[in-house]
Amino acid sequence: MINRLHSLSTLSENLVNRNAAKGLCVGCLSPDASNGLCSPCRADLPVNRYHCRCCALPMAFAGADSICGECLDAPPAFRRAVIPWRYQYPVNTMIGRYKYSQQRKFARPLIAGLAANLANVYEGSDANRPQLLIPAPMRPARRRKRGFNQTSDIAEHLGRALDIPVSTRVVRRVRPAQAQRGLNRKARLANLRDIFKVCRNVPERVAIVDDVVTTGATVRMLAQALQNAGARDIQVWALARTPG
Ligand SMILES: [Zn+2]
Ligand SMILES: [Zn+2]
């Protein structure tokens, strides 16, 4: 089972590295895997079943129309968020290995799952389909340090799967935000104000692509900047959502 991911030693990690190319499960090395996960390991992923219909904030129980307090108080500029998993074990471990060690195979099952989820939504209908995918921009310094921008990587995969163009040049992050941790909602939003600059024309329908949505403050600000620049139908697509 996927619990073995928790204790992957360097040795077994090397084994996963060697074997992922052969299509083995990244959770348990079972050969019976599709997109890098076997069925039992896939069943262990924390699905974000009950959530706010607007920002996908996990809720204990929610109907199709449930909306969280924050979206009710201050509706975001985006129409909805498609975020299939909760940022809990093993999804957090998988995303961590992808992001910080650039081991793409750990994110592959999640990215393929998100693409399949979106393909179902858009099957046969182009009216609501975004015209452009915009990866949430990372600060240049951080990108240089990490040498890899996971949001662009995810957007490229989704763009190929759904046949939607991707642009990393529409929005720039113009200044770093201070750490968001410990700030209340008002302070978080003030901290993020004007950190994004839209540099190019924006089509009417766009989707912001991110790896993990935490407080939601960053995607709210990014969506606002895109709306100010002319986007009318904005979505957020991400792999995982933290509880708030
Ligand atoms: Zn498995
Ligand atoms: Zn919400």
Side-chain angles (χ1 to χ4, degrees):
M1 296 292 276
I2 205 156
N3 288 333
R4 286 179 49 187
L5 192 61
H6 216 25
S7 54
L8 273 188
S9 63
T10 313
L11 183 74
S12 54
E13 202 166 300
N14 287 339
L15 209 63
V16 173
N17 276 324
R18 278 205 309 278
N19 289 314
K22 295 183 199 157
L24 300 191
C25 174
V26 299
C28 70
L29 301 180
S30 156
D32 196 11
S34 89
N35 282 321
L37 272 187
C38 70
S39 304
C41 285
R42 194 175 298 278
D44 280 353
L45 297 182
V47 174
N48 190 13
R49 188 183 310 270
Y50 299 120
H51 56 77
C52 167
R53 70 169 157 85
C54 183
C55 73
L57 181 77
M59 294 170 113
F61 178 79
D65 276 339
S66 298
I67 190 156
C68 75
E70 189 163 357
C71 291
L72 207 59
D73 280 356
F78 56 83
R79 172 167 61 88
R80 65 161 189 175
V82 180
I83 309 181
W85 294 283
R86 294 186 177 184
Y87 193 64
Q88 291 163 358
Y89 183 80
V91 165
N92 52 4
T93 311
M94 293 164 80
I95 293 177
R97 291 201 175 164
Y98 166 57
K99 202 159 149 174
Y100 301 110
S101 318
Q102 298 174 31
Q103 300 190 68
R104 194 177 271 119
K105 64 195 158 294
F106 286 102
R108 189 170 146 235
L110 305 177
I111 298 171
L114 175 58
N117 191 317
L118 291 164
N120 276 337
V121 174
Y122 292 111
E123 202 174 30
S125 95
D126 270 352
N128 297 322
R129 207 178 151 88
Q131 295 151 296
L132 188 67
L133 304 185
I134 299 173
M138 244 201 293
R139 275 191 293 127
R142 185 172 296 176
R143 193 175 55 233
R144 273 197 300 276
K145 196 166 154 205
R146 203 178 286 165
F148 166 73
N149 182 352
Q150 73 280 359
T151 62
S152 303
D153 190 59
I154 298 167
E156 293 291 340
H157 274 78
L158 296 177
R160 271 198 301 277
L162 301 165
D163 197 21
I164 302 174
V166 177
S167 175
T168 53
R169 294 170 193 277
V170 171
V171 190
R172 263 194 312 136
R173 202 159 178 148
V174 286
R175 66 170 177 81
Q178 338 267 254
Q180 292 283 90
R181 204 178 291 269
L183 299 179
N184 65 23
R185 178 172 164 267
K186 209 170 153 199
R188 282 201 310 261
L189 292 178
N191 181 27
L192 289 170
R193 197 147 291 144
D194 304 324
I195 65 167
F196 296 112
K197 184 171 188 294
V198 179
C199 329
R200 311 234 164 158
N201 286 342
V202 182
E204 198 163 309
R205 301 189 307 274
V206 297
I208 296 166
V209 177
D210 213 342
D211 53 344
V212 182
V213 172
T214 357
T215 62
T218 313
V219 285
R220 275 175 170 259
M221 280 301 154
L222 182 49
Q224 191 59 60
L226 291 167
Q227 190 181 63
N228 294 347
R232 287 290 158 260
D233 183 274
I234 304 166
Q235 301 187 50
V236 175
W237 294 352
L239 301 179
R241 183 77 160 91
T242 57

